[in-house]
Amino acid sequence: MNFTRWSARLPGTQRRAAARTDTTVSPDRRSDGSVPAARVEQLTEEAPPVPAVDELPVRDVLDRVPALVALVHGPDHRLAYVNDAYVAAFGMRDLGARAREALPELDEPGLFPLLDQVQRSGRPRTLKSRKAPDGRSYTFTCTPVTEGGSGDRGDRGVLVFATDVTDHAEAAARLRASEARQRETAVTLQRSLLPQELEEPDDLRVAATYHPGGTEAAVGGDWYDVITLGGGRTALVIGDVMGRGVRAAAVMGQLRTAVRAYARLDLPPHEVLQLLDGLATEIDANQIATCVYAIHDPNEGRLVYASAGHLPILVRDENGTVQRADEPTGPPLGTGGWVHTSGSISLTPGSTAVLYTDGLVERRDEDLDEGIAALERALSGATGTPQVICDRLVRSAGVTPDHDDDVAVLVLQHPARAGADAELFRNAALELLGGVEAAPRARAFASGVLTSWRFPTDLHDLGVLATSELVANSLQHGTPPMRLRLRRTDRRLIIEVTDGDDHLPRRRRAEPGDESGRGIAIVATIATNWGSRRTPGGGKAVWCEFVLPKP
């Protein structure tokens, strides 16, 4: 076959040919003064003659290029030419045979459908980094060619140009494997730092989920936690460390550990964030984090919270109305120089609250408020257990495995109890007016309540003794108003005494000659757990609890 009769319509060929025609300097214009004659003579004498590209033998050029070249023509793609590099890679080929029989190695990379597309459209196509049967990777470019300038589809051929990119493909594969290992390390670290099992408060039902973002090693620093504080109270926290990768996950782990430690001090939410703010600066001055810390007290029916630059808590009541937690919201942790404050939102029986990170509601193509509003609409119609609601909110937000940001969601319900279940959750309170009769009245009240709750005799006696010691401690060291509160759940008995003095008691060892100092030691000995905290309106609360025997 006469190869020179074929011309390839490579992209830009006609443009470059036209450019050569336009920029050719005619002999007539060389003497019009545009170029000095001396300069022309110098160029003419010293510059060696350069052959035109059109004069180069095309076949010799293609035979010498290291890339694989094959030419097929006609509607059935009959083989017209293969160069030396192609023969060296795949062996001799029968010219004139159909490409499917003559070039079977092009089937695995998927080139045969591409040949049809190129021949029909008359436009070049490229397949990047496809592996051939010889184990090497090639980038295939298929370019339409015509014979003698004819545009007839039957006269069209296709020039297949294959560049060996094996080294690049292997380097890319190694890079992807390295990124996958880094991502796996980051995800493993992230998940190991999150709670393996959520604590189960007596008065709340909770569920949480975490979805790492993207397919790269770009795991973020989202976290959540549920911490039982004792006395029936529960702390809930969710946060997001800015940044990606192992470093963000490590900072997250340190902040989560610190939150649990500060929570044991039973401090108000804004004081916990104040401590976290200073710690975040010490951990890494270049890292900031958002966080919400909330405390639920079943006796108050409210969720007291403080926010450091985090998204608002959403609460759905039993009628389906969704309320968004208001300010106060301070700047993120790690910025310093800010005094955080606490706010509260109603959480009555039958209500559901949702704490979440920005990955659930933030999208590049829409405003953040629109995402929160969409979450509110999804929550208003969400019913069922906390885990069901959690999964439904994630699905409604369109979170998929290739989502571009981490997502953490924490759902809590304050169930409305009725019937036999309600019998397990009881409250009783007594105002202590002071005087010598306060302690006997408190003991009698506690005895009557514990008897009505049908506790075993030994637990009844321990409860009355603990009540007596806590009331006596409050009468001696506290100030009015004083109050005794007894509470039972399905798992424990809680006894709490509040007064107007904010001095927190500490357990100490009383010397034999001391007349006081043994009350808290007695309570700590007989109770399962005890503690004290300052109350928001001033004063303190001292409590103890007993685990109920299993039925």
Side-chain angles (χ1 to χ4, degrees), residues 450-451 453-463 488 548-549:
L450 297 180
T451 299
W453 289 348
R454 299 179 181 178
F455 284 148
T457 302
D458 56 345
L459 182 58
H460 171 278
D461 295 342
L462 291 176
R488 70 158 295 172
L548 301 183

Side-chain angles (χ1 to χ4, degrees), residues 142-274:
C142 297
T143 304
V145 297
T146 57
E147 184 176 6
S150 173
D152 191 336
R153 183 181 302 176
D155 293 334
R156 288 179 184 172
V158 179
L159 183 69
V160 180
F161 194 88
T163 306
D164 191 337
V165 293
T166 304
D167 293 341
H168 296 284
E170 292 178 350
R174 289 193 297 268
L175 179 59
R176 288 192 297 269
S178 176
E179 291 176 346
R181 288 192 298 269
Q182 292 179 22
R183 173 178 167 77
E184 183 179 358
T185 301
V187 171
T188 302
L189 175 61
Q190 174 89 340
R191 293 193 180 279
S192 67
L193 295 174
L194 291 173
Q196 303 305 304
E197 291 184 4
L198 291 178
E199 297 184 20
E200 298 180 1
D202 293 358
D203 296 276
L204 295 177
R205 297 171 183 166
V206 295
T209 185
Y210 169 74
H211 294 269
T215 56
E216 302 175 356
V219 177
D222 293 15
W223 93 92
Y224 56 82
D225 210 346
V226 177
I227 309 166
T228 53
L229 301 177
R233 302 163 74 246
T234 305
L236 305 118
V237 59
I238 194 164
D240 182 5
V241 176
M242 303 303 175
R244 300 289 182 114
V246 176
R247 179 58 183 167
V251 172
M252 176 273 290
Q254 296 177 75
L255 290 178
R256 176 176 173 258
T257 302
V259 168
R260 296 192 69 86
Y262 295 147
R264 300 305 177 191
L265 301 176
D266 214 342
L267 299 172
H270 64 275
E271 293 189 21
V272 172
L273 291 190
Q274 208 71 48

